[in-house]
Amino acid sequence: MNKQIITELSHEELISALKEMKQPAFRANQIHDWIYKKNAASWDDMTNLSKELRQQCSEKWLFNSIQMAKSVKSDDGTEKLLLKLHDGEFIEMVIIPADTRITFCLSTQVGCPVGCLFCASGRNGLVRNLAMHEIIGEFQAGCAVIGRIPDNIVFMGIGEGLLNYENLMKAVERLTEEKYFAMGVRRITISTSGFVPGMLKLADYGKELNLAISLHAPNDEIRQKIIPGKIRYPISEIMEAADIYREKCNRMVTLEYTLLKDINDSAACAKALSRIAREHHTKINLIPYNDTGSEFKRPSTKTINTFEQILRNADVAVSVRRERGSDQAGACGQLRAEHMN
Ligand code: SF4
C-alpha cells in the first residue's frame, strides 16, 4: 500500500496538507466533517468539494484501506461483515442491534496469539496487529451499513486488544475525542483474556472505559485446559489488576464466562466464581458456548439456569448473553475461519 489513509492524519495534519495543496483551511474542515461528522463512505460522498479536489485527494490518500468481502445477516438482525485488508488478510466485525440501539463488535488483530481452545479466531495464531486506521476502517465499514455511528462499541472481535495496545488506544482516541467521532468513553468496552501488563497500562490511562475480562474458569487448573498457551496469567494476578482498574478508572469490571459442558459448568465452579465476583466487586456475563466446531459442547439449558441461579443466590450481578447471529456463523472468527478453509 503506497498511499496514506486519510484517517491516519490528525485534523492539524490535514489542515497543513491542504495548505500545501494551496487550498484554504475551510476545505480541510469540510473534509474533516465528512469523515468524522457526516459519515462519508468515500471521497465521492463529499459533494461540497469540487470534482478536481476530490480527484486530487483520492490520488494522494486512500479513504479506507478495507473492503467488504462478504456480509451475512442473521434472522435476529445481527450482521457480520467479513472485511478484506490491503495485504489480502481478513478480519470480521459484527453489527448487533438491540431495540433501538446498535453495538459494533470490532477486531483488533488479524488472528490471535492467545489460543483459547473454544475460539475459531485463535486457531491459527496471530498474523499481525491491526493499524489504527484499520480499526477505524472497520468501524467506518459498519457505519456505512447502518448509516450512522453505533451507540456502543465492544472490542471483543478477533484478537487480544491489549497486545495491540498502542494502536487500539489511538483508535479509541479517534472514536472518543470531540473533534473526531465524539463517542462517549463509557460506551466503549475493551475485552481482554487477562493480559495483566495491558490491564495495568489501561488502568494508568485512567479513562472510564468498560473493561471485560474473559475469565472462563474459577481456578487456574480449569483455565489452563481452556487456554493452554503461554499468554495466560494466574487468576490471582488478573483479579489484582482488575481491582486496580476499578479503583483508578471508577468502573465496575465484567467477567466473561463461556459455559462449556463438563468443563466449567458445575455447581462447584459457580460457587467459586461467585466468591471471586463478590471479593472483587465484578459483574458476570455468562456466555453459553456457541458451537465453533471445537472439542467443546454447550451445557444443557437446565445446567445454564442452575449456574446462573447459584450466582444470583450469592448476590452477584449476572447476565446471560443471548445467542446472537448463531444461525449465520455467529461465533467470533467463524466467518474468517470458513473463508480461510
Ligand atoms: S477468545 Fe479472544 S483471546 Fe481467546 S483466542 Fe479468541 S480472540 Fe483470542
Side-chain angles (χ1 to χ4, degrees), residues 112-116 118-122 156-160 193 214 216 332:
C112 181
V114 179
C116 305
F118 59 80
C119 170
S121 302
M156 287 186 184
I158 299 170
E160 163 55 67
S193 61
S214 300
H216 306 318
C332 165

Side-chain angles (χ1 to χ4, degrees), residues 23-192:
Q23 293 290 333
F26 78 87
R27 289 281 177 229
N29 290 337
Q30 284 176 320
I31 294 173
H32 182 91
D33 277 1
W34 277 112
I35 300 169
Y36 297 104
K37 307 295 177 194
K38 292 183 178 167
N39 198 27
S42 72
W43 291 110
D44 289 340
D45 285 350
M46 302 186 187
T47 45
N48 57 359
L49 263 54
S50 68
K51 262 194 175 166
E52 293 72 25
L53 182 56
R54 278 184 265 161
Q55 180 67 28
Q56 266 179 290
C57 288
S58 67
E59 280 166 13
K60 199 169 166 67
W61 299 292
L62 270 182
F63 188 83
N64 190 345
S65 66
I66 288 185
Q67 289 166 9
M68 169 117 74
K70 191 176 177 181
S71 156
V72 188
K73 204 161 185 172
S74 294
D75 296 341
D76 62 13
T78 301
E79 187 165 0
K80 183 170 270 204
L81 310 185
L82 181 70
L83 302 171
K84 189 174 182 189
L85 308 180
H86 69 90
D87 56 0
E89 294 292 344
F90 288 86
I91 53 165
E92 295 177 8
M93 71 84 60
V94 192
I95 301 167
I96 308 160
D99 303 323
T100 55
R101 285 170 299 123
I102 295 181
T103 300
F104 282 1
C105 177
L106 301 181
S107 296
T108 53
Q109 297 183 304
V110 182
C112 181
V114 179
C116 305
L117 288 183
F118 59 80
C119 170
S121 302
R123 229 161 267 165
N124 294 303
L126 176 70
V127 179
R128 67 173 174 87
N129 283 331
L130 289 181
M132 179 273 275
H133 70 80
E134 290 174 313
I135 298 173
I136 295 300
E138 57 178 317
F139 171 84
Q140 289 174 305
C143 292
V145 172
I146 66 168
R148 65 171 176 93
I149 63 168
D151 301 282
N152 300 297
I153 293 177
V154 292
F155 283 100
M156 287 186 184
I158 299 170
E160 163 55 67
L162 295 184
L163 281 169
N164 184 16
Y165 186 86
E166 210 177 298
N167 293 342
L168 171 60
M169 296 324 289
K170 276 191 212 158
V172 166
E173 277 166 13
R174 275 296 149 92
L175 293 168
T176 56
E177 276 181 21
E178 205 49 46
K179 65 179 166 187
Y180 298 104
F181 290 108
M183 282 192 68
V185 176
R186 287 173 168 221
R187 296 191 172 275
I188 297 181
T189 299
I190 294 185
S191 174
T192 177

Side-chain angles (χ1 to χ4, degrees), residues 299-318:
S300 67
T301 306
K302 190 171 168 239
T303 305
I304 296 166
N305 292 342
T306 306
F307 199 97
E308 181 190 356
Q309 200 50 52
I310 291 171
L311 291 166
R312 287 197 192 286
N313 292 347
D315 278 335
V316 173
V318 56

